[in-house]
Amino acid sequence: MTSLADLAELVRAPAALSVPGDLVAGAAAAGVLGPRTAGLAGASVLLYWAGMAANDWADRGLDAEERPERPIPSGRITPAAAAGVAAGLTAAGLGLAAAVGGRRAAAVAVPLAATIWGYDLAAKNTAAGPAVMAACRGLDVLLGASPGRPVRALPAALTVAAHTWTVTALSRREVSGADAALPRRTLAGTALVALAATTLPRRATPTPAPRPLAATVAAALPVGLAGWYVARYGGAQARVAAEPTAGRVRAAVGAGITGLPSLQGALTARAGAGLVGALVALAAPLGGRLARKLSPT
């Protein structure tokens, strides 16, 4: 019998804490943050878990050599069951997105699901892998913006996509380790991502204008959250650059996944939803704690 713990490991359940912030950042940038955002975030989590299950199904042969403790090679979950979980979660995610956001959400969710499966089945081990995974996260942000004008969320989507490119590039060296040049490049990318999160155009100032103290807090919050993001993820990459072992690479990838909410929070706060952005960022330490019990990579 497959246990819930085995399924949670298959889909890397704790890593899903990095997903809702995509939708919140997109909705905030498009000015449509509201009840539908939660439903679309739920749909995105289902699609994310589907991608994780499909990833293990596609990598079952490689994992038998490199990660025999994973659910499929260890025999705890059959390949057919993993494929069924991936297909079922995909259908559920697409159905929920359409139910919550209608045709506009479905128009983004369908290409998002296709890109997720395309990464797992075809692009993952090619030179295009990091770019395809980055596209998944960018589309995720745009899904949050789909009830409004997604074009307004393009800068936020590109920022999250750039972060995802760095994480994916590192993840390709989780087993073999990396040369010092790779973490230096991704660290430079992380610095640019943080800069973008604090300099994206703000939404129009609401009327009445905020009081001076509130305005100061609103301006400082994105900078503080972006700084937290750099300290958490950038610090892990700096340690890889100093000693590029497989273990440190895995730790940096984990930091990139669990630390993403702090970046999403900065983007949300920059769009004018400071309190919501701070709440999104709180998922970062929670994800870090859960990752100690169940690996997100």
Side-chain angles (χ1 to χ4, degrees), residues 11 14 69 85 124 151 164 166 216 228 234 237 256 264 275 283:
V11 302
E69 74 281 0
V85 168
K124 180 179 180 180
V151 67
T164 305
T166 68
T216 300
W228 186 17
Q237 292 172 85
Q264 297 160 336
L275 178 58

Side-chain angles (χ1 to χ4, degrees), residues 3 21 31 46 65 91-92 112 114-115 131 143 146 183 190 198 236 241 253 256 281 285 293:
S3 69
L46 293 173
E65 298 178 3
L112 171 58
T115 306
L143 179 59
S146 61
T190 297
T198 59
V253 172
K293 298 181 179 180

Side-chain angles (χ1 to χ4, degrees), residues 42-65:
S44 182
V45 167
L46 293 173
L47 292 176
Y48 184 90
W49 281 341
M52 292 295 100
N55 175 78
D56 268 27
W57 179 84
D59 282 356
R60 61 193 185 279
L62 182 63
D63 283 347
E65 298 178 3

Side-chain angles (χ1 to χ4, degrees), residues 14-18 48 137 163 167 233 252-261 296-297:
L17 285 172
S18 72
Y48 184 90
R137 281 289 187 169
H163 162 81
V167 176
Y233 180 39
V253 172
I257 295 171
T258 61
L260 176 56
T297 69

Side-chain angles (χ1 to χ4, degrees), residues 17 225 228 258 261-262 265 275-289:
L17 285 172
L225 293 177
W228 186 17
T258 61
S262 53
L275 178 58
V276 177
L279 291 174
V280 167
L282 289 177
L286 177 59
R289 291 190 185 94

